[in-house]
Amino acid sequence: MLPEIVTVADKIQENVNKPSFFKSMSPGVNWKSQSMRMIPEEFVRSTSGTFEHRVVCSVRWGNSWQLWLQRDENGLFMIEEDWNGFVDHNLISPNNSLLFTHEETMFLEVRIFKSNGDEIMTSPLEVEPETEPVHPTPQSSHQETNFASASASAKGGTNGKNRDGASAAVKNPERYLLNPENPFFVKKVTKRNDVLYVSKVAIHKYGLKFGPASSTIYYLLHGEKKEEAKLKFYRDSPCFRGWDKLCRRHNVKIGDKMVCELELSGGLVSAVRVHFVK
């Protein structure tokens, strides 16, 4: 009897207990081939039709991408422009493999692996994480050190006053705070802005704690306007839903920056006060 051949894909998927699918390069195709954009029908059936018009793909370092879907006689596909953008932003190479796991309605976690099965844990050099670590050290593409740990060790701004380790891109962000003692971080709006991830630097810096998933939090805006949202966790990263709607309502553009001042209640993060940087 021939010995059973265990592939890298088998090892990667063996401990996954949620609906998932795996993609890797095969002869004659590249990451931008049509077959790479297809979502397997078996996966679609296993998720009870939760994917109709779009998916939101999140990666280990906190960024997320919205990809619109289109169905034809051959199956369900991610729109070419959106998929190609995801591939380019994350520098997906022929040696990489991707594991897509269903987290909840419309949300997929995408884990990126090297050819030897090692998972890539931090963003490529060219990709700017959503929470803007200050003074990043030079890295090779897809460095494997843990981003949260690396970011937590980052220092404040050059003037020594930037407390959250993520504020160097905004001059004197403390001037925007309603309460100078509140924790804060700076957010730069990217093309994919479906949720607001809380800066990992700020989490470690202030020892932030959060309520249970799906608990209510609030966006607080100028003039004491309040918008309700829900707290979610993706791979243990806390984030707030409703960010995309807030950005649309307030005509926020790609590249705009905000100072996000966190309000606490009972020791837990209960609201984020959004200060638009002028």
Side-chain angles (χ1 to χ4, degrees):
M1 180 181 294
L2 293 175
E4 181 180 0
I5 298 176
V6 180
T7 66
V8 171
D10 293 330
K11 292 180 179 179
I12 290 171
Q13 292 178 283
E14 63 183 359
N15 293 319
V16 177
N17 55 15
K18 296 181 180 180
S20 63
F21 62 94
F22 187 82
K23 287 188 178 291
S24 61
M25 293 285 288
S26 58
V29 301
N30 59 55
W31 281 111
K32 295 185 178 179
S33 297
Q34 185 183 39
S35 60
M36 290 300 185
R37 295 190 284 112
M38 176 182 279
I39 298 179
E41 283 300 321
E42 182 179 354
F43 174 81
V44 175
R45 289 193 298 270
S46 70
T47 57
S48 303
T50 56
F51 302 102
E52 295 182 4
H53 306 295
R54 63 170 182 160
V55 293
V56 176
C57 295
S58 60
V59 291
R60 284 290 203 182
W61 43 92
N63 286 4
S64 60
W65 286 261
Q66 177 177 275
L67 289 77
W68 288 94
L69 305 178
Q70 184 175 38
R71 182 176 286 279
D72 62 23
E73 65 274 11
N74 297 314
L76 185 65
F77 294 86
M78 292 172 273
I79 294 295
E80 183 176 7
E81 179 184 0
D82 293 347
W83 171 250
N84 289 350
F86 177 83
V87 170
D88 290 340
H89 274 85
N90 292 290
L91 300 184
I92 307 299
S93 76
N95 294 323
N96 292 148
S97 300
L98 306 182
L99 178 64
F100 296 77
T101 302
H102 179 231
E103 291 295 325
E104 62 173 280
T105 303
M106 295 193 306
F107 280 81
L108 297 176
E109 179 199 51
V110 184
R111 298 169 64 187
I112 306 173
F113 296 86
K114 290 186 174 183
S115 58
N116 62 359
D118 289 341
E119 184 175 0
I120 296 165
M121 301 298 292
T122 59
S123 62
L125 180 63
E126 287 83 355
V127 176
E128 184 178 70
E130 291 193 3
T131 48
E132 300 184 349
V134 66
H135 301 316
T137 54
Q139 303 176 30
S140 59
S141 295
H142 292 318
Q143 198 172 21
E144 290 180 82
T145 55
N146 183 274
F147 172 67
S149 299
S151 298
S153 64
K155 300 297 183 182
T158 54
N159 62 5
K161 297 181 181 179
N162 292 341
R163 298 174 296 154
D164 68 335
S167 313
V170 174
K171 186 177 181 180
N172 298 325
E174 292 90 344
R175 65 192 171 99
Y176 292 93
L177 302 181
L178 187 66
N179 180 351
E181 298 303 315
N182 279 345
F184 72 92
F185 61 95
V186 172
K187 166 71 178 179
K188 180 179 180 181
V189 177
T190 60
K191 182 178 180 182
R192 277 75 181 180
N193 55 358
D194 300 88
V195 296
L196 173 63
Y197 282 95
V198 180
S199 165
K200 292 180 179 179
V201 177
I203 292 172
H204 286 266
K205 175 77 175 180
Y206 303 110
L208 297 176
K209 297 181 180 180
F210 300 83
S214 297
S215 57
T216 299
I217 61 94
Y218 294 95
Y219 293 111
L220 306 178
L221 303 165
H222 180 70
E224 296 304 315
K225 293 180 181 178
K226 181 188 294 187
E227 298 185 12
E228 185 175 311
K230 295 295 182 182
L231 172 66
K232 295 291 182 181
F233 294 89
Y234 297 111
R235 300 301 298 184
D236 298 325
S237 295
C239 61
F240 304 147
R241 300 286 292 272
W243 182 247
D244 52 344
K245 295 178 182 178
L246 182 147
C247 288
R248 286 197 300 271
R249 277 197 293 268
H250 296 276
N251 196 30
V252 176
K253 299 179 176 61
I254 295 172
D256 287 353
K257 295 174 183 177
M258 297 87 136
V259 175
C260 297
E261 178 182 359
L262 299 174
E263 301 280 354
L264 306 182
S265 176
L268 304 178
V269 174
S270 60
V272 54
R273 191 175 296 277
V274 182
H275 303 278
F276 297 99
V277 175
K278 298 179 180 179

